[in-house]
Each structure stands twice: as structure tokens, then as C-alpha cells.
Amino acid sequence: MIERGHRLALYLLLTPFLLWLTLLIILPHVQMFNISIHDRVVGGDKVLSLDNYATFFTEPLYWRTFARTAIMSLLATALTLLIAFPVSFYIAKVCQGKTKSLLFVACLLPFWVSELVRSYGWMILLRESGLVSGFLQYVGLADQPVELLYNDATIMLGLVYTSMLFMVVPLITTLDSLDNSLIEAAYDLGGSSWDVLREVVIPHAMSGIVAGCIVVFMLTLGNYLTPTLLGGKDSLWFTEQIFTQFITRFNWEQGSAFGILLLSLSSLMVWGGLKLTRQSFVKTMG
């Protein structure tokens, strides 16, 4: 009876998660794939067809935008890791007591507001009549208003800023569990700072690194607001192409095909990253 009660309690606890997973993730994606392999014909009927996928590969704008989005997402993930790692190490292993807590809260503060508000904040700073342009003119570095929006550098800045927390948190968690005596022992054995980093710190933090990179890459790849607001109409981000097919052209079949392609890319990149680093998904995300 006790074992049956424990099993029933487990099922009850898992039911909300399984319902959420099934109704909001699995079934919508199955339906989206089903829509993507159909095409409309005269009279409004639908027939099985791969024309939507063929359109992607035959139209240079689509696959070039797809490739550009993937490359910039990888670059944003790498930059986020390079910035977040020393910050996380300093918070986890150097700071103590209240200072550690304050710095961690400082990393959280920007994310207390929505991504839309944060993106508009960057627009206020970087637009032609913004604070940065005004400062450059005030100190004499520019003799006229400077437009800093609507370029790849600004998009990258926004993506890194938006994703930073999702890299910092798993890194701090893994680095905080690293025993300081291991670092001290590595130095006592004659290791340099680079040796300690390469042989002790990074291997221990690898699960946090992979987890952060997975989350940041997937969020960046599927980001819509930041590239559109900071990059303008010419941002050439693939999620904008999906939005255009669904909302502007009402072409749900083509939009669904684009969505499946984006999902396939993110899944392939995650699988490749796990294989490359020899990490398991359960260990990394657990």
C-alpha cells in the first residue's frame, strides 16, 4: 500500500509537467510539421507537398538569412561565454559574504524588466539623438549626431546583453562547487594560472559551460525582438522571416516549414555541442 501510494504521488506530481510538455510543446510541433508538408491548391484544398522546403533552398534570401542567423547566434554565444566566465569566476571564487550576494543580484537586476523594455533602453542610448551620440558631440569626438543603431555590432551587443544572465547562473553554480583546495594544490605543484584554468577550472565547469551555451544559443537563435528593434527592417534575422510568413503573408505552410527548419538547426547544434564536449544532456541540464 505504501509503495502504491508513493507511485500515485509521483504520477500526480508528473501530471502537470507531462500535460505542459504534451499540449504546449509536442502537439503544436507535430501539427506545425503536418502543416509544413502540405500545400494549397486551387479551390482551397491541401495536398501533400515538400514545396515549402524546396522554396527555402531555392530562394537565396531565405537560406542566406538562415545561415547568417546561425553564425551570428554562435558568435553571440561565444562572446557571452568569454564575458561571463571571468565575471562568474570572480563572483564564485573571489568574492565572499555580502559582496558575493550583491554582485549576483546586480547581474539579476537588468532582467527584472522585460526584454522589450531592455531593447528600448538600448535604442534610447544609441539612437541618433540618444545619450551616447550627445556625449560624443559634447567631448568633441563627433561634430554631428551619430547613428549607432541598425548594424550588426548593435545587434550583437543586444544579443549578448540579453543572454548574459543565462550564462552567468549555470557558471556560478558549477564554479561555486569547485573545492578551493584543488586550485591551491595545482599552484603548489608548480602550475601556472593558465595551467590551473585549463586543467582544473574549465574541466570542472564544463557542464555549466555547455548548459549556458545551449540555453544562450537557443534563445539567441529564436530571438525576435532584439534583432528587429536594434537591427531595423534590414536585420535579416530568420525569426523575422517566420513572422512575415505567418502574420504578414498569412502563409502558414511556408512559416511552419521555416519553423521546423529552425528547430532542426537548434537541435542539431545542441547534439553536436554535446558530442564535441562529451557531455550528456541529462548531466548538463540536471
Side-chain angles (χ1 to χ4, degrees):
M1 289 294 294
I2 296 178
E3 182 179 352
R4 183 180 298 178
H6 287 168
R7 188 176 301 174
L8 178 61
L10 177 62
Y11 290 155
L12 291 175
L13 288 173
L14 290 177
T15 297
F17 169 75
L18 293 176
L19 286 174
W20 173 80
L21 185 66
T22 303
L23 298 178
L24 298 182
I25 297 180
I26 297 177
L27 290 182
H29 281 87
V30 170
Q31 180 63 14
M32 187 167 65
F33 176 74
N34 181 55
I35 293 173
S36 72
I37 58 175
H38 286 81
D39 203 5
R40 296 181 185 180
V41 295
V42 178
D45 295 331
K46 294 183 178 181
V47 295
L48 283 173
S49 173
L50 296 177
D51 288 348
N52 297 310
Y53 293 94
T55 300
F56 168 81
F57 290 103
T58 56
E59 175 54 57
L61 175 64
Y62 294 150
W63 59 261
R64 287 177 181 173
T65 302
F66 187 78
R68 165 185 160 84
T69 302
I71 293 171
M72 290 194 65
S73 296
L74 285 172
L75 181 58
T77 302
L79 289 175
T80 305
L81 176 61
L82 288 176
I83 297 172
F85 193 89
V87 173
S88 302
F89 184 85
Y90 183 81
I91 293 175
K93 309 309 296 181
V94 178
C95 295
Q96 300 293 331
K98 292 183 178 179
T99 304
K100 182 175 182 178
S101 301
L102 288 174
L103 288 177
F104 186 71
V105 171
C107 293
L108 297 176
L109 280 177
F111 295 86
W112 289 7
V113 296
S114 68
E115 181 183 354
L116 179 63
V117 174
R118 296 197 301 272
S119 297
Y120 274 122
W122 280 113
M123 294 180 70
I124 292 172
L125 289 173
L126 301 176
R127 65 184 179 180
E128 191 174 8
S129 58
L131 296 178
V132 176
S133 177
F135 176 77
L136 292 176
Q137 295 176 76
Y138 177 77
V139 298
L141 295 177
D143 55 2
Q144 60 182 0
V146 181
E147 180 63 82
L148 298 174
L149 290 173
Y150 314 128
N151 57 71
D152 289 349
T154 304
I155 294 175
M156 190 61 61
L157 174 67
L159 291 174
V160 171
Y161 175 77
T162 302
S163 308
M164 188 60 63
L165 177 67
F166 302 99
M167 187 69 77
V168 168
V169 170
L171 284 176
I172 290 179
T173 302
T174 53
L175 288 171
D176 203 34
S177 64
L178 175 61
D179 193 342
N180 291 334
S181 61
L182 294 177
I183 299 177
E184 295 171 0
Y187 278 117
D188 291 340
L189 292 172
S192 63
S193 297
W194 169 248
D195 292 330
V196 173
L197 179 66
R198 183 167 53 105
E199 301 294 339
V200 178
V201 178
I202 291 180
H204 181 86
M206 186 55 68
S207 60
I209 293 173
V210 175
C213 287
I214 288 174
V215 174
V216 169
F217 176 77
M218 295 183 72
L219 289 175
T220 303
L221 190 70
N223 200 314
Y224 174 77
L225 282 176
T226 300
T228 301
L229 292 177
L230 300 184
K233 295 180 179 179
D234 298 326
S235 61
L236 294 179
W237 207 258
F238 198 66
T239 50
E240 187 178 358
Q241 297 287 349
I242 297 175
F243 177 87
T244 299
Q245 296 297 332
F246 274 110
I247 307 301
T248 304
R249 299 183 180 179
F250 297 101
N251 188 349
W252 282 50
E253 291 78 15
Q254 191 67 67
S256 297
F258 286 176
I260 293 297
L261 287 168
L262 193 66
L263 175 64
S264 301
L265 174 64
S266 63
S267 302
L268 180 63
M269 296 300 293
V270 169
W271 177 83
L274 291 173
K275 289 296 182 181
L276 186 64
T277 57
R278 299 179 181 178
Q279 299 286 315
S280 68
F281 186 81
V282 174
K283 178 182 177 182
T284 300
M285 305 308 292

